[in-house]
Amino acid sequence: MLGVRDGASQEEIKQAYRELAKKYHPDKYADNPLRDLAEEKMREINEAYDYLTKNKGTSENSYDSTGYNGTSNDNNNFVKNQRIREMINRNDLRSAEIELNSISNRNAEWYFLRGMLSLKKGWYSRGYNDIQTAVRMDPNNYEYRKALNELSRSNTMYTNNYNSNRSMTDNDACKICTTIWCADSCCELSTRGSCC
């Protein structure tokens, strides 16, 4: 899917991913009928990238007894991040928070995960801000952008509904008061009879 050879290095995999992500990113197809195809292609690219980075096994980026030939911290954080995602998905929010706070590298993934955790806790403002930070730090990450777009869309719908319901309620209250006043005035006139 990424067009890399067997045994490709992590850097080659990342480079292939970046090139394909630039080519097929759905934002490039905003008002284009091919947007759905680009989104599907991007999903496949992300899955292939995840698979290749998770299952790297015994390449030049693997552990050995004396240390690490690649970036051990990245792989260690990747494993932690996967665990945190699973905890968030099962609503084990306290454990996810403890694990998240143990990570010292506050990269885009860290902010994204804290944002998702905050949203699960009902802390929408913090969650939105963290996911926004993740997108700023890694603007080519489809998952982060998709989450931010969905949050923005939900926020816009909520705000529009709130404002329209609020103005309808205010308007309805005025109508009710006017109707009561008119009815009261009519009742007073009818009970007085013909004399003033």
Side-chain angles (χ1 to χ4, degrees), residues 116-127:
M116 297 307 287
L117 178 64
S118 295
L119 291 173
K120 283 273 194 165
K121 288 179 156 189
W123 301 347
Y124 298 106
S125 181
R126 179 177 174 182

Side-chain angles (χ1 to χ4, degrees), residues 92-136:
D92 186 2
L93 304 182
R94 181 70 184 134
S95 298
E97 187 172 24
I98 291 168
E99 190 80 19
L100 191 62
N101 288 333
S102 74
I103 297 174
S104 58
N105 182 13
R106 307 285 163 97
N107 59 12
E109 179 73 3
W110 187 89
Y111 279 100
F112 177 74
L113 291 175
R114 189 173 79 165
M116 297 307 287
L117 178 64
S118 295
L119 291 173
K120 283 273 194 165
K121 288 179 156 189
W123 301 347
Y124 298 106
S125 181
R126 179 177 174 182
Y128 182 81
N129 289 338
D130 281 345
I131 292 173
Q132 227 177 7
T133 300
V135 169
R136 268 196 310 274

Side-chain angles (χ1 to χ4, degrees), residues 129-186:
N129 289 338
D130 281 345
I131 292 173
Q132 227 177 7
T133 300
V135 169
R136 268 196 310 274
M137 292 174 81
D138 187 2
N140 293 324
N141 187 300
Y142 175 73
E143 181 183 21
Y144 304 165
R145 292 180 67 83
K146 182 179 176 190
L148 183 61
N149 289 338
E150 288 174 3
L151 284 172
S152 296
R153 199 171 21 255
S154 295
N155 185 41
T156 301
M157 287 173 48
Y158 171 77
T159 303
N160 290 343
N161 286 340
Y162 175 76
N163 288 336
S164 66
N165 288 340
R166 186 172 172 212
S167 64
M168 260 185 359
T169 303
D170 293 345
N171 194 22
D172 288 345
C174 288
K175 287 179 184 177
I176 291 170
C177 287
T178 305
T179 304
I180 291 172
W181 177 74
C182 286
D184 186 49
S185 296
C186 290

Side-chain angles (χ1 to χ4, degrees), residues 23-49:
K23 183 176 179 180
Y24 291 106
H25 200 284
D27 289 350
K28 289 181 70 173
Y29 299 89
D31 295 324
N32 190 318
L34 297 175
R35 181 175 175 86
D36 291 338
L37 290 173
E39 286 178 356
E40 180 61 32
K41 186 76 168 177
M42 202 60 215
R43 248 183 254 111
E44 292 172 2
I45 292 167
N46 284 331
E47 287 174 15
Y49 178 75

